[in-house]
Amino acid sequence: ELRWLDQVTWMEGKASKSQRLYYRLRLITIVGAVTVPALVALNTLDGWAGNAAQIGSWVVSLVVAVSAAVEGFFQFGQRWRNYRSTAERLKAEGWLYFELAGPYASADGSHNDMYQTFVSRVEEQIQKDVDSYIVEVATEKQRPTGVS
């Protein structure tokens, strides 16, 4: 039960952190990408305004590229979805166990009788999370052959 609670708490924390990072990086990328064309249009101005627009275009473009690259490398969006789905599955499993419902329901069942089933099902969920993480998050996505 303590392992279950520890995993739920850990997954919740990781999901929240990944979501915040994902939203921040995506927001920077979106706002920056919308701002660059406006700055480029101002590049035609003479004097300091044109120079400032050129420098601003360069800086914002760089920030957008870095933000998109960092999110693409760390895949915070995919991590967030992976942690969140596992946390929710673990919570649902815990509630079924605590209420002796679903796979834990039986006419004469008690929490002690169902404990081994609970442990086994929680460990299955944790293993599924590890497998999913390896396949969906940690492995580098391969481009199809011939795509540049």
Side-chain angles (χ1 to χ4, degrees):
E1 291 165 353
L2 289 177
R3 177 161 164 75
W4 168 82
L5 182 59
D6 177 62
Q7 287 296 304
V8 169
T9 305
W10 186 83
M11 294 281 179
E12 289 278 338
K14 294 299 262 182
S16 295
K17 182 179 178 183
S18 294
Q19 181 187 35
R20 281 192 309 275
L21 289 167
Y22 175 68
Y23 281 169
R24 286 179 186 154
L25 290 169
R26 291 297 298 153
L27 191 58
I28 289 168
T29 302
I30 291 166
V31 171
V34 170
T35 305
V36 168
L39 289 171
V40 169
L42 296 176
N43 285 348
T44 60
L45 297 175
D46 293 329
W48 70 269
N51 289 339
Q54 287 177 342
I55 292 169
S57 299
W58 182 82
V59 169
V60 173
S61 296
L62 183 62
V63 169
V64 166
V66 168
S67 175
V70 167
E71 202 291 313
F73 181 75
F74 288 107
Q75 298 182 32
F76 291 117
Q78 187 63 35
R79 287 174 188 241
W80 160 46
R81 288 183 288 277
N82 186 66
Y83 290 135
R84 173 62 49 218
S85 66
T86 302
E88 293 303 320
R89 284 194 311 271
L90 286 171
K91 285 193 278 188
E93 196 67 44
W95 280 115
L96 289 172
Y97 173 68
F98 293 134
E99 294 297 323
L100 293 174
Y104 307 105
S106 69
D108 58 346
S110 70
H111 287 98
N112 286 340
D113 295 336
M114 295 296 155
Y115 184 72
Q116 292 300 325
T117 303
F118 175 68
V119 168
S120 175
R121 290 176 59 92
V122 166
E123 290 303 320
E124 271 180 40
Q125 291 296 332
I126 293 169
Q127 187 58 49
K128 283 181 187 175
D129 171 67
V130 170
D131 294 343
S132 175
Y133 184 85
I134 297 297
V135 170
E136 297 176 20
V137 178
T139 58
E140 191 171 327
K141 303 294 182 201
Q142 299 295 319
R143 287 186 181 180
T145 306
V147 176
S148 6

